[in-house]
Amino acid sequence: ELTWFIKVAAVILLFAGIGASIYQLKDRPATSVTYAEFKSEHGKIKKIKLADGTFVTLNSASSLKLPTDFNSKSRFVQLEGEAFFDVAKNVKKPFIIQSGDARIKVLGTSFNVKAYKEDKL
């Protein structure tokens, strides 16, 4: 009879542990990502130095959006318009540019990206 009691107690503890885990996960706040955005006005050029040492030159009427925790976990940016990138080399963290449907992934190089919304790809 003692083994039967131990089995029942074990099952009760198991379900209590599962319930407590689900409750803790349910009440955990969702992590939200905040972004910084840089814009160049029509007819103007804007130069930006990112936290990883990358230099970006935004052409006229362009915008660059990146998470405020840029370079802590990843090097991801979103571009609308045109920009010249001089990407700081980091083989462990690729630099990723999302522009419309295009995704460019580099480790460290210099290049231009032109992707205005009105351009036909």
Side-chain angles (χ1 to χ4, degrees):
E1 285 188 26
L2 186 57
T3 58
W4 179 82
F5 177 75
I6 292 172
K7 288 179 184 177
V8 170
V11 169
I12 290 171
L13 284 173
L14 177 68
F15 283 115
I18 291 171
S21 297
I22 291 171
Y23 179 77
Q24 284 183 337
L25 289 174
K26 183 185 80 132
D27 286 347
R28 209 176 259 179
T31 57
S32 62
V33 178
T34 55
Y35 290 89
E37 187 169 11
F38 301 93
K39 292 183 176 187
S40 61
E41 297 176 25
H42 188 73
K44 304 251 177 156
I45 291 175
K46 184 175 195 109
K47 294 186 180 215
I48 307 158
K49 182 179 180 185
L50 303 181
D52 68 339
T54 294
F55 289 94
V56 181
T57 304
L58 282 179
N59 204 352
S60 174
S62 299
S63 68
L64 185 73
K65 191 174 172 182
L66 57 139
T68 53
D69 67 348
F70 175 84
N71 199 35
S72 64
K73 293 180 185 172
S74 69
R75 301 191 303 163
F76 175 81
V77 298
Q78 294 172 304
L79 172 68
E80 186 176 305
E82 183 176 6
F84 178 80
F85 293 87
D86 187 4
V87 178
K89 188 173 183 176
N90 186 336
V91 295
K92 294 183 180 180
K93 277 191 227 172
F95 191 93
I96 302 167
I97 302 164
Q98 180 77 43
S99 189
D101 293 334
R103 181 170 240 172
I104 303 161
K105 184 177 177 181
V106 298
L107 300 177
T109 188
S110 298
F111 58 97
N112 194 71
V113 177
K114 183 179 177 195
Y116 289 99
K117 280 186 176 181
E118 59 272 5
D119 288 346
K120 304 255 185 216
L121 297 178

